[in-house]
Amino acid sequence: MSKEITSRSEDYSQWYNDLVLKAGLADYSAVRGCMVIKPYGYALWENMRDVLDKMFKDTGHQNAYFPLFVPKSLFEAEEKNAEGFAKECAVVTHYRLKNDPANPGKLIVDPEAKLEEELVVRPTSEAIIWNTYKKWIQSYRDLPILINQWANVVRWEMRTRLFLRTAEFLWQEGHTAHATKEEAVEETVKMLNVYADFAENWMAMPVVKGVKSANERFAGAEDTYCIEALMQDGKALQAGTSHFLGQNFAKAFDVTFINKENKAESVWATSWGVSTRLIGALVMAHSDDDGLILPPKLAPIQVVLVPIYKGPESKETIDAKANEIVNQLKAKGIKVKYDNDDNSRPGWKFAEYEMKGVPVRVALGLRDIENNVAEVARRDTKEKKSMSMDGLAETIEHLLNEIQENIFSKAMTFRNEHITKAENWEEFQQLLDTKGGFVSAHWDGTSETEDKIKNLTKATIRCIPNDNLMEEGSCILTGNPSSQRVLFARAY
RNA sequence: CGGGAGGUAGUUCAGCUCGGUAGAAUACUUGGUUUGGGACCAAGGGGUCGCAGGUUCGAAUCCUGUCCUCCCGACCA
C-alpha cells in the first residue's frame, strides 16, 4: 500500500485528486478553475493528441486555426447554441489597462477603452467557424469541408475538478460542411467510431456508443452521438461527442451552396470533440491505490530500467548492460528511461514509477547479470519475474501488448458486470444506490419523465445504445409503453 | 451561486481557544557511507503565517473584506 494517496474505498474523489497531483499530471493554479498541466500530464496529452490527429488525417481531415474571440453578434446568431452556453461565457469588454491614479503601482481597467462590441471567449467555435465558412462555400464543388482545430476553450463552470471539468481546457473540435444530410450523418457516425476506436484500442477503455436523448443533446444539434465510459466508482463519464447539426448553423449564418441542379441549398454540418477530460477518464478507468496504471500505447514512459548497484565497482558493469538493454528496446521503438540517478534508492524509484503508472519496470543488478536475467515487473498486476536476458526486448515488447490487452479486458469485464437491467422502479433505485454503473431500463421517451427521474435519483440517460434491441416494455417510472431500453447512470 | 471545511517552510501539518522573538516531520543543499521495496551519519539553508485593511504598545492568533482550494448541493453538450 502506498502511504502517499488516499485509498479508493476511503474517498474516491480524494483518491482521484491525490493521484493527479502526486503522479505529476497537473497542479492547481492561481486562476479559479484553471489548472497547470505538468510535463508528465502534458506528455500523456501529446501522445493522445498525436494518435487522434493521425486518425483525423487518415479520415480526410485537415487542421486549421480560428480565433479565440467571438464577437457577441456572431455568438448569438444560432439561438439554441447561444442560449445553451450564455451563462458560462467569459466576456472581454475592454482592451486596455492603465495606472491607477489613486493607487500607485496598481492597474485599473481603462474606462475609456471599452469595446464597441463585446468579445466572447469561445466556449466552442461553431459561430466563428460558420461565419468563416460562409465566405468559403458557393458551390457543391466547395464541399465537403473537413476541418479540425486543436485549441483551448473556456467555460465558466461553477464547480471544477482537475481534468474532468476545468474552466479552461484543451480539446480538438472538428467542424465539417456537407452538401447532403446523408453525408453529414455519415460523417457524424464515422467520427464517433474514430473516438470509440481510440478509447478502446489506445486508452484500453471500453465505451458504449449511442445517441443522446433530447435533454442531453448539444445546444444547436439535431442529434448528439456519444461514447460513454464507466469509471471504477460506478459513475459514467461522457468521453466524446459527435454532433449532427443539420442545417441549423448554415441557416443562422446564411451559408448556402448552388447544387448540381443550379439551386441554392443550405449546407449540412457536423461538429465533434474530445478534450483533456480524457486524461481524467484514463486515470479513473484503470488506476489503483498505488497510483496510475497507464495503457502502454499511451504511456509517456513504457519501460523504466532501475539499476541495483552494489558498491562503486558494480556501476560500470551494470551501466554497460543497462545501456545495451536500453538500445535494444529503443530499436523496437519502445519508450524507455534508464533511471541511474544515484540520489534515490531502488525502493524509492519502484514506488515512484508505480505512482506514475509506468507499465513495465526492469531491475538490474550484478546478481541478474551473472545469471543472464533481469527482474521484470508489470504495473497492472504487480507481478515480478526473472526473465532471460536473451531476447529480453522481444519479451518486453510482448509484455507491453499483454498489459494493454489485460487492462482493457479488466475494464471491459467491470463495465459488462455493471450494465444491469431494471424491471421496476424499486429495482431501478436500488441498483443506482447500491451497485452503480449503467442501468438498462425502459423509458417512455419524454423529456418530462427523464427530468423526473433525474430529480428523484440524480441519474440521467447516458445514451440510447446504437446497437439497441427493440423490445416492448413499459416505462420504469410512468409505466407508459416503450419500444426499447436506454442506459441510465449517475455521471460526472 | 448556497452550505461546510481549509490556506503557516518545497510538502504534510502543529501553534490560534487565552495576542508577547515562527515550530515538527519530511523534502532540499554540502560531505561521507550506501543501494534487490520509499537508506543512514554529520553540517547547513529555507516562512513579510494566502492577500488587503482594522483593533492593539505588540497580531499567525482578535475583527472586516477579498482571493484560492477541497467536500456536499444547484448548474453543467
Side-chain angles (χ1 to χ4, degrees):
Chain A
M1 284 290 287
S2 168
K3 55 185 178 186
E4 299 270 359
I5 57 176
T6 309
S7 69
R8 284 166 294 182
S9 54
E10 193 183 326
D11 185 339
Y12 193 83
S13 293
Q14 194 58 51
W15 166 80
Y16 174 79
N17 287 329
D18 285 354
L19 196 43
V20 168
L21 296 172
K22 299 217 163 111
L25 296 179
D27 205 350
Y28 294 114
S29 76
V31 190
R32 195 202 88 96
C34 297
M35 65 175 178
V36 174
I37 304 177
K38 294 178 75 178
Y40 192 63
Y42 201 77
L44 189 51
W45 176 241
E46 284 177 314
N47 289 345
M48 296 167 87
R49 187 195 62 192
D50 290 350
V51 172
L52 284 166
D53 197 65
K54 182 168 187 309
M55 290 174 135
F56 299 154
K57 285 172 180 161
D58 287 347
T59 44
H61 302 85
Q62 292 179 296
N63 286 331
Y65 188 80
F66 295 85
L68 171 66
F69 303 117
V70 185
K72 187 166 75 70
S73 57
L74 287 185
F75 186 75
E76 66 200 7
E78 208 295 324
E79 282 180 35
K80 282 186 180 158
N81 185 251
E83 195 187 315
F85 285 105
K87 59 186 174 298
E88 51 191 73
C89 286
V91 184
V92 179
T93 55
H94 293 75
Y95 58 87
R96 193 165 62 210
L97 300 170
K98 66 172 190 177
N99 289 318
D100 183 356
N103 218 342
K106 303 288 183 184
L107 295 171
I108 55 169
V109 174
D110 187 344
E112 288 173 19
K114 194 170 188 308
L115 290 170
E116 283 289 306
E117 180 180 1
E118 293 89 346
L119 296 173
V120 176
V121 179
R122 62 180 169 215
T124 181
S125 300
E126 277 80 1
I128 191 75
I129 287 178
W130 279 87
N131 174 255
T132 307
Y133 283 179
K134 178 180 167 61
K135 293 196 287 184
W136 293 354
I137 299 168
Q138 279 85 40
S139 154
Y140 72 92
R141 295 175 203 274
D142 297 323
L143 297 170
I145 294 179
L146 304 173
I147 282 180
N148 174 64
Q149 89 166 341
W150 290 96
N152 58 339
V153 289
V154 170
R155 296 179 187 179
W156 214 263
E157 300 286 356
M158 283 299 154
R159 190 171 163 196
T160 58
R161 298 198 66 191
L162 294 168
F163 288 114
L164 297 174
R165 179 169 288 113
T166 47
E168 180 196 12
F169 56 93
L170 305 183
W171 78 344
Q172 58 72 216
E173 47 182 327
H175 294 273
T176 68
H178 305 267
T180 65
K181 177 179 180 179
E182 292 67 33
E183 194 183 305
V185 170
E186 189 188 331
E187 166 79 5
T188 312
V189 173
K190 180 196 285 178
M191 298 323 287
L192 184 78
N193 288 330
V194 164
Y195 288 154
D197 178 11
F198 177 73
E200 301 201 329
N201 295 316
W202 292 82
M203 295 174 67
M205 182 176 76
V207 291
V208 178
K209 291 187 279 189
V211 64
K212 289 289 189 190
S213 64
N215 282 16
E216 301 283 320
R217 193 178 290 152
F218 177 73
E222 297 284 308
D223 260 321
T224 288
Y225 294 76
C226 63
I227 52 171
E228 291 285 326
L230 189 64
M231 303 296 104
Q232 292 180 58
D233 62 347
K235 285 171 83 173
L237 185 131
Q238 177 178 299
T241 46
S242 183
H243 313 293
F244 168 62
L245 301 174
Q247 294 172 312
N248 295 341
F249 284 88
K251 284 177 178 161
F253 291 92
D254 190 25
V255 187
T256 57
F257 69 102
I258 304 301
N259 66 17
K260 286 182 188 173
E261 286 78 42
N262 199 28
K263 285 189 180 144
E265 272 188 67
S266 286
V267 175
W268 298 86
T270 83
S271 69
W272 28 273
V274 295
S275 72
T276 37
R277 180 179 235 207
L278 287 180
I279 294 177
L282 191 59
V283 170
M284 286 200 293
H286 304 304
S287 304
D288 65 20
D289 291 347
D290 293 318
L292 290 179
I293 293 178
L294 296 178
K297 282 184 174 180
L298 293 173
I301 302 168
Q302 295 173 307
V303 177
V304 65
L305 190 48
V306 178
I308 315 288
Y309 295 129
K310 271 256 166 45
E313 68 283 355
S314 71
K315 290 192 182 182
E316 209 177 316
T317 316
I318 295 173
D319 283 347
K321 192 69 195 176
N323 284 322
E324 214 177 284
I325 297 171
V326 165
N327 288 333
Q328 288 167 6
L329 290 170
K330 278 187 181 165
K332 293 196 162 292
I334 293 169
K335 292 175 205 151
V336 55
K337 174 176 175 174
Y338 179 42
D339 187 352
N340 62 346
D341 178 359
D342 203 19
N343 292 316
S344 42
R345 288 160 54 104
W348 191 90
K349 291 176 188 172
F350 293 171
E352 180 64 16
Y353 291 109
E354 276 162 16
M355 180 67 76
K356 285 185 172 294
V358 175
V360 171
R361 180 186 75 228
V362 179
L364 188 67
L366 284 181
R367 201 171 75 198
D368 303 298
I369 294 174
E370 280 163 22
N371 297 320
N372 196 40
V373 296
E375 184 195 79
V376 178
R378 51 190 287 183
R379 176 63 184 88
D380 59 340
T381 61
K382 306 206 73 180
E383 192 183 356
K384 286 194 284 195
K385 262 188 200 164
S386 249
M387 293 185 168
S388 170
M389 208 75 86
D390 302 326
L392 186 63
E394 284 78 11
T395 310
I396 290 174
E397 192 179 32
H398 290 137
L399 183 58
L400 288 170
N401 290 333
E402 195 183 319
I403 293 171
Q404 181 81 29
E405 285 166 24
N406 180 54
I407 62 176
F408 177 67
S409 71
K410 192 178 166 194
M412 181 65 102
T413 302
F414 178 83
R415 200 280 306 274
N416 289 343
E417 283 170 354
H418 287 81
I419 300 179
T420 321
K421 287 183 179 178
E423 306 300 345
N424 57 59
W425 183 247
E426 288 66 36
E427 206 180 343
F428 182 78
Q429 286 179 303
Q430 201 187 357
L431 281 169
L432 288 170
D433 287 338
T434 57
K435 184 176 176 185
F438 293 111
V439 179
S440 176
H442 281 281
W443 162 61
D444 65 17
T446 68
S447 290
E448 293 72 33
T449 301
E450 186 178 357
D451 282 337
K452 277 182 199 162
I453 293 174
K454 185 180 176 182
N455 289 335
L456 290 168
T457 65
K458 293 181 202 159
T460 50
I461 295 174
R462 300 321 302 160
C463 70
I464 302 157
N466 280 353
D467 53 359
N468 224 14
L469 291 170
M470 289 296 136
E471 172 193 294
E472 292 304 316
S474 52
C475 176
I476 200 82
L477 183 70
T478 62
N480 291 335
S482 151
S483 58
Q484 61 179 332
R485 289 172 184 273
V486 299
L487 290 183
F488 287 89
R490 293 190 180 132
Y492 278 96

